[in-house]
Amino acid sequence: MTLLELRGPLRVTVRLHRHVLWVSFALVLSAAIALPAGRWYVQSLAQDFAATGCEVENTVSGCGIQVRSFLSRSLYVQKMFDFVALAVSVLPLLLGAFVAGPLIGRELESDTYRLQWTQSVSPARWLAAKLAVPVAAVLLVLPVFVLLTAWIRRGTLDTWYPIQWYDLPMYGAIGPVAVGYALLGIAIGALAGLLIGRTLPAMAAAVTAVGTVWAVIGLLRPRLWPALDGLPGAGNHWNLSDGVDQMETRYHPESHFWPLQLVESAILLTLAAAAIVAAFALLRRRHR
């Protein structure tokens, strides 16, 4: 669908924020190219290092430079993956600020929304069009990006710097919770924009609210699914104990990844739905 094929408030929204949409698309495309390139680079480093005959664990004379170079470059790529995961974790804050401020708060503050409402556009349709643009962008782009990030993470497990499924911020970028937080950011941003109606205060309120939810759920995450007791077997385990008494270890095995992700996603979607319902109810109450 092109811009010319869009109609009504949806077309106006896309046109007003087309530069932001193009920049966002360019950033996502760049990351989608950089991540597979990073995985290929790590694999090529491992192959080149193996060809030297040197080993990291049993370093012999004459291999010090090769070992240091291999480890430092591998660590650099791992840091790049962490940075991308951090960007995905910050995305809900940015979405909340964007929806609360430039998308809704600015129009309410400047009264430009009245022009659309006088052109046979109801308040509910106006708000739906405002939300449709970021929601569509999230649902079309983010799931593919999450799958790509999960694939990249799996490729690091055979390296000297593996990224575990429970590591932060990677946990929030390799499963459906990434989409859940993004939609929650949009919903809270809409509610904040309508409640406050001023650009900067609405943006600040949205960022604070989304950040608070993110922090609280992060603290509760280990309890979202029953942990196991005892001594973990083979595999990648999320150890929840202090490690003093290994016979009293509480942990989440890797098989708990999907239950934890799905429970957290359900919480996020419920909160997002509640915020959207509250936003439409507030709009209908103020502008009957």
Side-chain angles (χ1 to χ4, degrees):
M1 179 177 289
T2 64
L3 181 60
L4 294 177
E5 294 173 326
L6 297 176
R7 293 293 183 268
L10 185 60
R11 181 175 184 271
V12 173
T13 302
V14 172
R15 185 169 183 175
L16 284 175
H17 302 283
R18 62 187 182 278
H19 298 300
V20 175
L21 294 174
W22 277 114
V23 170
S24 301
F25 176 76
L27 291 175
V28 171
L29 182 61
S30 299
I33 295 174
L35 283 174
R39 176 168 176 170
W40 171 84
Y41 181 63
V42 170
Q43 292 174 340
S44 65
L45 283 177
Q47 293 173 358
D48 294 341
F49 180 70
T52 64
C54 298
E55 297 180 1
V56 175
E57 291 181 325
N58 301 312
T59 303
V60 297
S61 178
C63 286
I65 295 177
Q66 291 88 337
V67 170
R68 285 194 298 271
S69 176
F70 170 70
L71 292 179
S72 62
R73 292 180 182 180
S74 299
L75 181 60
Y76 174 79
V77 175
Q78 190 239 21
K79 294 298 183 184
M80 182 193 74
F81 292 159
D82 286 341
F83 177 79
V84 172
L86 180 61
V88 175
S89 299
V90 174
L91 180 62
L93 300 177
L94 299 179
L95 286 170
F98 173 72
V99 173
L103 204 61
I104 294 178
R106 182 179 296 173
E107 288 209 20
L108 295 178
E109 189 174 19
S110 61
D111 285 340
T112 55
Y113 67 95
R114 297 183 183 277
L115 177 62
Q116 295 188 53
W117 290 9
T118 57
Q119 297 177 346
S120 301
V121 176
S122 66
R125 187 184 173 195
W126 170 83
L127 179 58
K130 293 295 181 184
L131 298 178
V133 174
V135 168
V138 166
L139 294 180
L140 289 174
V141 176
L142 196 54
V144 177
F145 188 78
V146 167
L147 291 174
L148 179 62
T149 307
W151 174 71
I152 296 298
R153 196 227 27 124
R154 298 292 301 183
T156 68
L157 297 180
D158 296 329
T159 68
W160 282 96
Y161 298 102
I163 301 175
Q164 304 297 347
W165 62 272
Y166 51 83
D167 287 343
L168 295 177
M170 187 59 68
Y171 177 87
I174 58 175
V177 297
V179 178
Y181 275 110
L183 295 178
L184 179 64
I186 294 172
I188 290 180
L191 183 59
L194 290 172
L195 277 173
I196 300 174
R198 297 174 58 192
T199 304
L200 293 180
M203 293 175 69
V207 170
T208 302
V210 175
T212 300
V213 173
W214 182 85
V216 171
I217 294 183
L219 292 174
L220 297 177
R221 183 173 295 143
R223 300 177 178 85
L224 296 180
W225 193 258
L228 301 182
D229 296 317
L231 191 61
N236 301 319
H237 302 290
W238 181 8
N239 191 353
L240 306 178
S241 64
D242 55 13
V244 176
D245 187 354
Q246 292 298 324
M247 299 305 295
E248 297 295 332
T249 299
R250 292 184 59 80
Y251 65 97
H252 284 296
E254 191 169 5
S255 60
H256 285 189
F257 171 78
W258 280 108
L260 287 167
Q261 285 270 331
L262 293 177
V263 170
E264 186 169 342
S265 298
I267 294 173
L268 295 173
L269 293 178
T270 300
L271 293 175
I276 290 297
V277 170
F280 276 97
L282 177 64
L283 184 65
R284 183 170 56 252
R285 181 178 180 180
R286 287 185 176 179
H287 306 282
R288 291 179 177 176

